[in-house]
Amino acid sequence: MNLKLTRIAPTPSGFLHLGNLYSFLVTKALAEETGAKILLRIDDLDRERYRTEYVQDIFDTLEFMEISYDQGPKTVQDFEQEWSQIHRMNSYLEALEEIREKRLVFACDCTRKKIQQLDSSGYYLGHCQVRNIPLERAETCWRMDTFDTDFIKIKTYSTGEKSYVLPEDSAFFIVRKKDKLPAYQLTSVIDDVHYGVDLIVRGNDLLGSTLDQQIVANGLDLTSFQEATFHHHQLLKGPKNKKLSKSAGATSIQFLRKEGKKLGDIYQILGEMIGAKEQIADFESFKTQLIP
């Protein structure tokens, strides 16, 4: 399988943890296996949580783990001047306008509390779809109308084309937030198309995002995204089998490095966390476990 470009796409909203790193290493392994180049794409539209030290941490972690990439920023300044998502805002707004013109969205003014009251699952089940709230009303978000969504097909790396039903927690997803900024499911698609990404690697927990993004791509007739290859990898679990988060400092790469952990130590920890049959000491042994 010859592919052109994959991407590492962290968000600078906290210090990177072992789960992020695992995803980066799986991406690197599959890039080598398929001949794809690697793009570093930093998703920074969440300006409330954005900090330059988190961007710097991305560069530091990639350098420490000896993960090289072919395209993307090399420094914080380079990122802010040339590569930030802010520079692609017009593309996002044009996509939103097209979605609006095609009547693929409806306005919603629900709070999280109201959504919880409407359905104890906490999932948003399309309540505002029939309320006909004007799209330009203040304090409303735009949600994609997924009511008639049928099976969603995606091309997977390991098993070819697969069909999925959209899960309830991914239905009626937001494409424009209440602050009028474009939301992740839209910006991620536009960015991948912009750069020509055709191999997308992410955790199993983001399968719902992949399906949402296919709906966006279908609505905007973005063929290159519809035809991209996807790989959803296992998740690393922390203590008590919980998903790792950026707020949990003990699994952050920065914390482990400050403790004096070396490159080989990090690989060993990752090997233990994924239940590797043999000890992992470097990238080659990691890759062998991943791709026998």
Side-chain angles (χ1 to χ4, degrees):
M1 186 186 290
N2 286 323
L3 295 165
K4 292 182 194 145
L5 187 67
T6 186
R7 81 306 199 264
I8 290 169
T11 53
S13 56
F15 294 113
L16 295 177
H17 58 63
L18 287 165
N20 303 124
L21 179 59
Y22 179 71
S23 195
F24 296 172
L25 290 168
V26 174
T27 304
K28 180 183 177 182
L30 293 186
E32 289 188 4
E33 199 67 12
T34 59
K37 288 186 160 38
I38 299 176
L39 160 76
L40 172 60
R41 193 197 91 191
I42 300 172
D43 293 354
D44 67 318
L45 269 196
D46 185 352
R47 302 311 290 181
E48 282 182 21
R49 295 197 292 170
Y50 174 87
R51 292 200 182 87
T52 52
E53 58 260 41
Y54 296 152
V55 181
Q56 186 59 51
D57 179 61
I58 294 167
F59 297 125
D60 293 344
T61 300
L62 293 174
E63 185 178 0
F64 176 72
M65 293 303 300
E66 298 176 358
I67 300 172
S68 58
Y69 52 95
D70 305 280
Q71 297 177 34
K74 302 295 182 190
T75 64
V76 173
Q77 186 180 21
D78 182 26
F79 167 68
E80 291 185 339
Q81 289 180 353
E82 302 289 335
W83 295 88
S84 167
Q85 288 185 302
I86 290 167
H87 303 305
R88 296 188 292 282
M89 186 61 77
N90 282 346
S91 299
Y92 308 144
L93 296 179
E94 284 168 14
L96 282 171
E97 190 54 37
E98 186 177 336
I99 282 173
R100 175 197 178 125
E101 284 174 6
K102 290 180 173 178
R103 300 187 177 183
L104 302 176
V105 288
F106 61 90
C108 165
D109 60 4
C110 292
T111 59
R112 281 186 188 174
K113 186 178 177 183
K114 185 176 178 183
I115 291 169
Q116 190 72 44
Q117 287 169 344
L118 288 166
D119 194 279
S120 59
S121 68
Y123 302 148
Y124 179 83
L125 301 179
H127 166 71
C128 297
Q129 200 183 7
V130 292
R131 293 176 63 206
N132 295 321
I133 302 167
L135 287 169
E136 284 314 315
R137 182 178 292 176
E139 291 301 305
T140 59
C141 65
W142 292 3
R143 290 183 180 270
M144 206 77 175
D145 184 355
T146 60
F147 187 75
D148 293 323
T149 302
D150 207 351
F151 288 102
I152 301 165
K153 291 179 182 175
I154 62 170
K155 195 191 296 181
T156 71
Y157 175 76
S158 46
T159 53
E161 191 172 84
K162 290 186 76 172
S163 290
Y164 293 92
V165 176
L166 191 66
E168 281 190 335
D169 61 346
S170 298
F172 306 110
F173 58 93
I174 295 171
V175 290
R176 194 182 87 161
K177 297 183 287 186
K178 286 185 178 180
D179 59 8
K180 299 189 178 180
L181 282 174
Y184 169 75
Q185 306 299 16
L186 179 120
T187 60
S188 191
V189 174
I190 300 302
D191 285 352
D192 283 334
V193 171
H194 173 80
Y195 289 112
V197 171
D198 59 358
L199 172 61
I200 297 169
V201 180
R202 44 173 55 141
N204 280 330
D205 59 327
L206 292 176
L207 174 61
S209 281
T210 295
L211 302 180
D212 285 349
Q213 289 171 20
Q214 283 291 359
I215 292 169
V216 171
N218 294 347
L220 293 170
D221 300 316
L222 297 173
T223 315
S224 65
F225 190 89
Q226 293 168 278
E227 294 174 355
T229 297
F230 292 84
H231 178 69
H232 297 90
H233 58 73
Q234 71 178 85
L235 295 182
L236 289 193
K237 295 290 173 73
K240 298 183 182 172
N241 216 30
K242 283 190 174 176
K243 182 184 161 188
L244 302 180
S245 74
K246 285 181 179 168
S247 58
T251 58
S252 80
I253 313 304
Q254 192 195 61
F255 176 85
L256 293 167
R257 285 173 60 198
K258 283 179 178 173
E259 274 203 326
K261 296 283 191 282
K262 301 286 188 284
L263 188 60
D265 300 325
I266 304 286
Y267 274 111
Q268 192 174 336
I269 293 167
L270 284 173
E272 289 166 3
M273 290 179 84
I274 62 172
K277 294 184 180 76
E278 295 169 25
Q279 185 174 332
I280 292 178
D282 52 26
F283 179 68
E284 286 311 309
S285 52
F286 175 88
K287 191 176 167 185
T288 304
Q289 292 273 342
L290 190 75
I291 309 169

